[in-house]
Amino acid sequence: MEQIYKNRELSWLQFNERVLEEADNPQVPLCERLTFVSIFQSNLDEFFMVRVGSLQDQMLLKEKITDNKTGMSPAQQIAAIVEEVQRLIAKRDEIYERLMRQIEEQGIRIVDFHKIGKEEESLLELYFDQEIAPLISPTVVGRRQPFPFLRNREIYAAAALETKNKKERIGIIPCTNNVFERLIPVPGMSGCYILSEELILHFISKIFKGYTIKTKSLLRVTRNADIDSDALYDEDLDYREFMSELMKERKKLAPVRMELSRNMDEAIVHTIRRYLDLDRTRLFYGKSPLDLSFLSRIHDLLRKNPELFYEKRTPQKSPLFRDGESMIAQIEEGDKLLSYPFESIRPFLKLLSEAAEDEDVVSIKMSLYRVARQSKVVETLIEAAENGKEVVVLVELRARFDEENNIAWSRRLENAGCQVIYGLDGYKVHSKLCLITRKSQGQIQYITQIGTGNYNENTARLYTDLSLMTASEEIGREAARVFQALSKGETVEKSDLLLVAPHCLQNRILEFLDEEIAYAKRGEEAYVGLKLNSLTDKTIMDKLVEASCAGVKIEMIIRGICCLIPGVPGKTEHIRVISIVGRFLEHSRIYMFGAGERKKYYISSADFMTRNTIRRVEVAAPVKAPALRERLQEIFDIMLADNQKSRELKANGLYERMAAEGEPVNAQERLYDLAYERK
């Protein structure tokens, strides 16, 4: 029997390989290709911190846990991950080397000591002695000096040292420092740079005088970041302060990976691994620099060459809004939909600002998951509170890697007089929901905004997302019930128009799929269209398989993880899956059920992952206005037609680039072109 399900971790690695392939795509401008290889590496870091960290934790549990789609144990998954990552690292190194050769043609070279002369080496030694050596803090591991704590994702120079009486020691120097530059110009060689960690490693003998350097390498450790705040929380503690302390603890979690830049003596590597309590299989050698964040500096150096970058694109003014008129009044005229980054987020920001000043507005309620470091959204909420509005903000402190930013904003909101809620026990609040309540002439009026992405002005220029604004009284009342439940630490048990996880989303999706199955079995046209970041929910996937077997046509645009393999005869032959990896991060979620006049459209913050459908608070909103439904269909159709950035998932579980037949269609560029035409 052919396999119809794929392991989620291996599917994610396939997604990251698609990112890496964009770094090797000659149609992508050179500096943007550098960005893709850097994204690949930062993605992989987070994957080890979160997913491999979680699997490592599962291996320590007494109960046996297996993947419900493939039956793989945590140990089997990690073994498969390690094998695949070794392959991807080799591929990354080849691509990085090709890219840097092309960068050299632009007059920028990253060199090592094999590529410079004695005179340049002497000048760099002088620079090292004067500018770097006084700032570093070496450690010699011995009886009186324990092995130092290696910070997550920071670079260290490590050396096997030998004393005069032939005793072995380990020398370690931190190379990550905010004081000196990472890219150091090579004196007398215009456009040539050396990485600061390579400089430290080269002159490491000057730091460890009196020792013989037997072998040396740069190393980098990735630590587990998977920490269960709900399991550790004590109700007697202040939740925000508890989360602050938890963030400190996360930095100390166990290593899950060690990377080396050079081959070292196996005995010394074994000793370092023993100190870190790290298995041999978690050791990775790479030819590329251990941290590629310096590539953004190369961008800066080459910014004068516009052909090396994407054509500048600016989010456009939405034709649905008129300048100089009340945003609330315009939304009351009819529902509005914004599509980022093709259209500007400004209309929503103006709506918030207007609500903060409007005398008839009595409250603004909002859920915040990830916001900008300098957030206009939060500043406006603070202004509204200072103007006497009731402002209720749910700040999800468990938004991974944004916890500290959210903690800081929550304090500011609270100090301004906002009522701040910190999420629910056992459920992250991931919904993108804003409710403005007005009282005019004795009547309660609602303006509700439901989005697919965060209230973040920065990512609104980089991620594709949708934002629906409506004056619908029914939707407003249901949004009010969501916030009322959140304020009481509860979840919504029943909803009509909105699909609200954890209790009213997965079951409704299954009902919609059952409807299409019934139509197909009667010989009528039946259809499902889904645009998601990830598909892992086994319950929904089982139903999609059932729908395919009944003859329902299913088209899915899934950027990242897809655990369902399409095109398998007798099982998923009516399912098609494509993935688009392009200039912007595909982030919007669209659900479509039905054919012809009975077709239903939703936008949502929720992927079809179990964590979203039954373990989080998520909201999906129906899109009723005919013009907006046409807009969603247009977006979906353009993405299905993409033959430049899309890859199709085949029945063998592998992705293949779409054949570029006929007119070239780059969906993201096409949608930007339309935004320019319609402004």
Side-chain angles (χ1 to χ4, degrees):
M1 177 181 171
E2 288 191 76
Q3 178 70 20
I4 60 170
Y5 292 122
K6 190 170 185 73
N7 175 262
R8 115 176 220 169
E9 318 306 346
L10 299 180
S11 179
W12 184 91
L13 288 172
Q14 285 184 306
F15 157 67
N16 208 29
E17 183 169 15
R18 297 196 292 278
V19 172
L20 184 60
E21 287 170 353
E22 286 301 292
D24 202 32
N25 184 348
Q27 294 180 332
V28 176
L30 181 57
C31 282
E32 307 295 353
R33 292 165 67 185
L34 291 181
T35 299
F36 277 109
V37 77
S38 183
I39 291 171
F40 166 84
Q41 179 139 319
S42 59
N43 280 351
L44 197 59
D45 287 347
E46 187 170 326
F47 177 74
F48 270 89
M49 291 162 65
V50 179
R51 298 306 309 163
V52 177
S54 175
L55 290 168
Q56 185 165 289
D57 290 342
Q58 288 176 25
M59 289 174 65
L60 302 175
L61 298 175
K62 291 181 181 178
E63 58 181 306
K64 290 184 66 176
I65 297 177
T66 58
D67 174 25
N68 69 346
K69 290 168 276 292
T70 61
M72 296 172 73
S73 69
Q76 288 172 326
Q77 292 179 71
I78 288 177
I81 287 166
V82 166
E83 182 180 351
E84 187 66 1
V85 169
Q86 294 285 14
R87 182 183 70 82
L88 290 176
I89 286 174
K91 186 172 182 176
R92 176 206 63 192
D93 289 345
E94 291 175 7
I95 291 171
Y96 174 80
E97 192 175 327
R98 281 199 292 272
L99 287 174
M100 298 316 290
R101 284 199 298 267
Q102 293 178 57
I103 290 294
E104 285 188 16
E105 295 172 9
Q106 302 298 323
I108 303 293
R109 291 180 68 203
I110 307 298
V111 298
D112 57 27
F113 282 90
H114 296 103
K115 298 178 182 177
I116 62 175
K118 290 294 182 184
E119 183 179 347
E120 289 78 21
E121 182 175 353
S122 296
L123 291 170
L124 282 172
E125 183 175 4
L126 182 63
Y127 178 89
F128 174 82
D129 291 340
Q130 295 178 346
E131 303 293 335
I132 293 182
L135 298 172
I136 57 182
S137 304
T139 297
V140 176
V141 181
R143 288 182 179 178
R144 296 186 179 183
Q145 182 63 46
F147 192 84
F149 179 80
L150 303 185
R151 294 176 180 271
N152 186 37
R153 295 188 293 173
E154 293 193 4
I155 298 173
Y156 294 83
L161 310 176
E162 187 176 83
T163 65
K164 291 177 181 177
N165 57 2
K166 302 300 181 182
K167 289 186 177 179
E168 292 187 349
R169 297 284 187 268
I170 298 174
I172 294 180
I173 302 174
C175 298
T176 303
N177 191 310
N178 294 326
V179 180
F180 48 78
E181 291 287 331
R182 178 93 185 281
L183 273 185
I184 297 171
V186 177
M189 296 179 68
S190 177
C192 287
Y193 299 85
I194 191 165
L195 292 169
S196 58
E197 63 264 26
E198 290 289 345
L199 195 60
I200 293 169
L201 188 68
H202 185 75
F203 292 116
I204 198 167
S205 60
K206 302 193 74 172
I207 300 298
F208 297 116
K209 294 176 180 177
Y211 294 94
T212 301
I213 309 295
K214 303 293 288 182
T215 183
K216 62 184 180 180
S217 176
L218 298 171
L219 72 82
R220 182 172 180 259
V221 167
T222 310
R223 291 185 176 274
N224 188 351
D226 185 59
I227 192 163
D228 188 346
S229 58
D230 289 332
L232 298 173
Y233 180 54
D234 182 338
E235 290 189 0
D236 292 333
L237 301 174
D238 176 273
Y239 188 67
R240 185 169 58 200
E241 297 311 313
F242 161 75
M243 286 299 297
S244 295
E245 291 302 313
L246 204 62
M247 293 310 98
K248 297 175 187 176
E249 287 300 312
R250 185 166 71 188
K251 295 173 183 176
K252 304 173 187 175
L253 293 180
V256 292
R257 174 180 63 163
M258 182 169 76
E259 299 169 275
L260 292 175
S261 67
R262 291 157 175 79
N263 287 314
M264 291 184 78
D265 180 75
E266 187 60 37
I268 197 73
V269 173
H270 175 77
T271 302
I272 295 172
R273 287 196 296 102
R274 182 166 50 80
Y275 279 120
L276 295 171
D277 192 22
L278 200 59
D279 187 82
R280 176 71 178 80
T281 60
R282 309 294 183 79
L283 175 62
F284 298 88
Y285 290 92
K287 297 177 183 177
S288 308
L290 299 180
D291 177 353
L292 295 178
S293 59
F294 72 90
L295 294 177
S296 62
R297 175 72 179 124
I298 294 179
H299 277 208
D300 296 338
L301 295 169
L302 293 174
R303 192 65 64 180
K304 62 182 181 296
N305 302 330
E307 71 278 6
L308 302 180
F309 298 87
Y310 286 126
E311 175 191 356
K312 185 177 179 181
R313 294 284 210 173
T314 306
Q316 296 297 293
K317 175 182 175 294
S318 168
L320 298 181
F321 290 98
R322 302 181 296 274
D323 290 337
E325 297 183 31
S326 162
M327 300 299 295
I328 290 173
Q330 292 185 70
I331 294 167
E332 286 176 334
E333 289 174 7
D335 293 355
K336 303 291 189 282
L337 184 74
L338 294 176
S339 177
Y340 310 143
F342 318 108
E343 294 173 334
S344 172
I345 193 175
R346 286 179 185 170
F348 174 68
L349 297 177
K350 286 181 182 177
L351 170 65
L352 267 189
S353 184
E354 182 181 322
E357 304 273 345
D358 188 339
E359 292 182 359
D360 290 337
V361 169
V362 294
S363 72
I364 303 174
K365 298 179 180 180
M366 202 167 187
S367 58
L368 298 181
Y369 194 75
R370 300 186 196 276
V371 295
R373 298 284 172 185
Q374 304 295 325
S375 174
K376 294 177 184 175
V377 169
V378 180
E379 295 287 1
T380 304
L381 292 173
I382 289 170
E383 179 189 346
E386 291 171 347
N387 289 342
K389 313 295 182 193
E390 179 194 20
V391 179
V392 179
V393 189
L394 189 142
V395 182
E396 181 50 80
L397 299 187
R398 294 162 296 183
R400 202 186 305 270
F401 306 123
D402 272 322
E403 296 97 341
E404 291 176 6
N405 189 43
N406 287 3
I407 287 167
W409 277 122
S410 72
R411 288 194 176 109
R412 286 198 59 191
L413 286 161
E414 218 167 56
N415 291 339
C418 302
Q419 179 187 342
V420 179
I421 309 167
Y422 300 125
L424 306 179
D425 289 344
Y427 298 105
K428 278 187 183 181
V429 179
H430 189 252
S431 57
K432 320 303 181 207
L433 188 63
C434 176
L435 178 66
I436 297 165
T437 304
R438 302 175 77 235
K439 190 171 184 180
S440 178
Q441 298 177 342
Q443 298 291 314
I444 298 294
Q445 300 170 320
Y446 297 110
I447 299 292
T448 312
Q449 183 273 343
I450 304 101
T452 67
N454 297 301
Y455 297 111
N456 186 317
E457 306 93 284
N458 296 333
T459 56
R461 301 175 71 91
L462 302 171
Y463 296 4
T464 74
D465 271 309
L466 296 163
S467 174
L468 174 69
M469 289 168 272
T470 179
S472 162
E473 185 180 346
E474 295 83 1
I475 285 179
R477 281 202 302 266
E478 291 200 6
R481 287 204 294 273
V482 172
F483 281 110
Q484 188 177 61
L486 293 174
S487 297
K488 295 188 294 181
E490 300 171 356
T491 53
V492 171
E493 295 291 335
K494 184 178 182 300
S495 62
D496 295 318
L497 289 176
L498 299 179
L499 312 182
V500 186
H503 304 299
C504 316
L505 192 145
Q506 188 199 64
N507 57 339
R508 298 285 297 282
I509 298 299
L510 297 175
E511 288 172 11
F512 295 155
L513 291 171
D514 278 331
E515 286 178 18
E516 295 312 300
I517 290 169
Y519 276 103
K521 286 181 175 178
R522 292 198 297 268
E524 298 181 47
E525 187 180 2
Y527 178 80
V528 173
L530 300 170
K531 182 178 182 298
L532 307 165
N533 296 334
S534 299
L535 173 65
T536 69
D537 186 316
K538 179 76 162 41
T539 303
I540 290 179
M541 290 192 295
D542 286 344
K543 187 62 70 173
L544 287 168
V545 173
E546 184 184 339
S548 174
C549 291
V552 179
K553 180 181 179 181
I554 301 169
E555 295 177 316
M556 297 193 287
I557 304 165
I558 302 177
R559 181 197 81 216
I561 303 168
C562 181
C563 292
L564 181 61
I565 298 174
V568 176
K571 289 288 185 180
T572 58
E573 59 190 314
H574 293 109
I575 299 177
R576 181 183 180 220
V577 176
I578 68 164
S579 169
I580 293 178
V581 176
R583 174 176 181 173
F584 306 107
L585 182 82
E586 286 299 331
H587 197 253
S588 54
R589 292 87 162 184
I590 302 171
Y591 314 157
M592 301 186 297
F593 302 94
E597 293 297 315
R598 62 183 186 82
K599 197 167 193 176
K600 295 185 279 283
Y601 293 82
Y602 288 82
I603 67 166
S604 180
S605 56
D607 288 309
F608 285 180
M609 306 177 77
T610 307
R611 73 177 191 190
N612 298 91
T613 56
I614 60 175
R615 293 181 192 150
R616 288 184 175 182
V617 175
E618 302 272 15
V619 173
V623 177
K624 299 285 191 179
L628 303 189
R629 291 156 64 93
E630 288 176 14
R631 182 85 183 281
L632 292 180
Q633 189 67 57
E634 177 185 60
I635 291 169
F636 200 84
D637 289 345
I638 289 173
M639 303 207 80
L640 281 179
D642 189 304
N643 56 16
Q644 301 294 301
K645 296 296 179 183
S646 68
R647 295 164 181 81
E648 186 166 4
L649 180 56
K650 298 296 187 177
N652 61 4
L654 302 176
Y655 286 83
E656 292 182 10
R657 279 191 178 275
M658 298 287 290
E661 298 173 349
E663 179 192 1
V665 178
N666 180 323
Q668 293 179 351
E669 295 297 339
R670 176 68 60 86
L671 290 168
Y672 236 129
D673 289 340
L674 289 172
Y676 273 85
E677 291 170 14
R678 290 167 173 165
K679 65 177 181 178

